[in-house]
């Protein structure tokens, strides 16, 4: 399966598409995601969403540690096919895919919760999904991950994101319960 998908995706290689895929892969890079995390956290704190900001940091930081642990455990070498960029380290699971799923997913869900109107909510869901899919596809296109690495990154990111969101929900519900009982 991996080989067939890689060949199909890489059959599309062209200079313009390669440049575009490098842009998409940058959206999943440590530098970009860390910058986005800082800006988002500051904005959340400014809007008095401190717990959401904390859980956003926990989600990305914990997800990065989870990814390192999985890479150390599996120690899968990167594909040796037609690489358009060079990467170091192990391949499984894709860190770009996992981190993108976690951060964009968390931001998308938080925006969805904060927004009231239906159309912006739909736009957030579609935009978030497209960005996550394009980051993963770019890793296959650029020849640095197998499709199964990307899928595993999404799956592991989804598990970690779910745990973080459950933790956030528990904290917010507990705080609401405290406020309600303090008013009585």
């Amino acid at each position: 399966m991996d080989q067939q998908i890689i060949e199909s995706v890489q059959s599309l290689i062209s200079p313009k598409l390669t440049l575009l895929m490098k842009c998409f892969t940058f959206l999943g890079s440590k530098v970009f995601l860390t910058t986005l995390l800082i800006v988002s956290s500051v904005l959340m704190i400014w809007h008095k969403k401190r717990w959401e900001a904390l859980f956003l940091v926990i989600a990305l930081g914990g997800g990065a540690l989870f990814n390192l642990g999985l890479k150390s455990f599996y120690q899968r070498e990167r594909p040796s096919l037609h690489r358009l960029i060079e990467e170091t380290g192990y391949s499984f699971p894709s860190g770009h895919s996992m981190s993108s799923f976690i951060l964009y997913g968390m931001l998308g869900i938080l925006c969805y919760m904060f927004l009231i109107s239906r159309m912006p909510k739909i736009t957030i869901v579609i935009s978030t999904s497209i960005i996550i899919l394009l980051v993963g596809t770019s890793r296959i296109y650029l020849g640095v991950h197998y499709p199964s690495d990307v899928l595993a990154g999404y799956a592991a990111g989804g598990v970690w994101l779910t745990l973080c969101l459950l933790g956030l929900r528990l904290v917010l519900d507990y705080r609401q319960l405290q406020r309600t009982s303090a008013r009585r």
Side-chain angles (χ1 to χ4, degrees):
M1 177 191 94
D2 277 338
Q3 198 67 33
Q4 292 172 342
I5 294 172
I6 289 172
E7 288 173 8
S8 294
V9 170
Q10 287 196 333
S11 71
L12 304 171
I13 290 176
S14 72
K16 287 181 182 175
L17 188 55
T18 299
L19 182 62
L20 187 61
M21 288 297 172
K22 285 180 179 178
C23 291
F24 292 136
T25 220
F26 179 72
L27 295 178
S29 69
K30 289 176 191 172
V31 170
F32 187 81
L33 292 178
T34 302
T35 304
L36 182 58
L37 173 68
I38 292 167
V39 170
S40 300
S41 297
V42 167
L43 287 171
M44 285 181 199
I45 291 168
W46 187 51
H47 286 282
K48 300 195 180 356
K49 300 292 183 186
R50 290 177 187 92
W51 284 105
E52 290 85 346
L54 176 62
F55 272 84
L56 187 64
V57 171
I58 290 169
L60 190 61
L65 292 174
F66 185 31
N67 184 266
L68 286 174
L70 290 171
K71 283 182 183 282
S72 294
F73 181 78
Y74 288 103
Q75 297 186 2
R76 183 180 194 185
E77 296 299 323
R78 291 186 182 275
S80 58
L81 300 170
H82 187 65
R83 277 196 208 169
L84 300 177
I85 61 172
E86 279 305 313
E87 289 285 349
T88 58
Y90 294 118
S91 181
F92 185 90
S94 166
H96 276 66
S97 300
M98 186 171 168
S99 296
S100 294
F101 195 99
I102 292 167
L103 187 63
Y104 292 119
M106 182 79 123
L107 287 172
I109 289 168
L110 291 173
C111 287
Y112 188 90
M113 288 169 34
F114 300 153
L115 295 170
I116 297 168
S117 301
R118 187 170 184 234
M119 201 57 196
K121 285 184 172 199
I122 292 169
T123 303
I124 290 293
V125 169
I126 292 170
S127 301
T128 300
S129 301
I130 289 171
I131 290 170
I132 292 168
L133 289 172
L134 288 173
V135 169
T137 302
S138 74
R139 304 306 284 168
I140 298 165
Y141 177 94
L142 295 170
V144 293
H145 280 294
Y146 294 101
S148 55
D149 299 337
V150 171
L151 292 175
Y154 290 156
V159 167
W160 182 248
L161 177 59
T162 301
L163 291 173
C164 291
L165 288 169
L166 286 172
L168 176 60
R169 179 84 268 150
L170 287 172
V171 168
L172 294 177
D173 286 350
Y174 178 75
R175 305 243 330 138
Q176 182 64 34
L177 185 63
Q178 279 183 322
R179 281 192 293 271
T180 304
S181 59
R183 288 183 198 143
R184 288 184 202 175

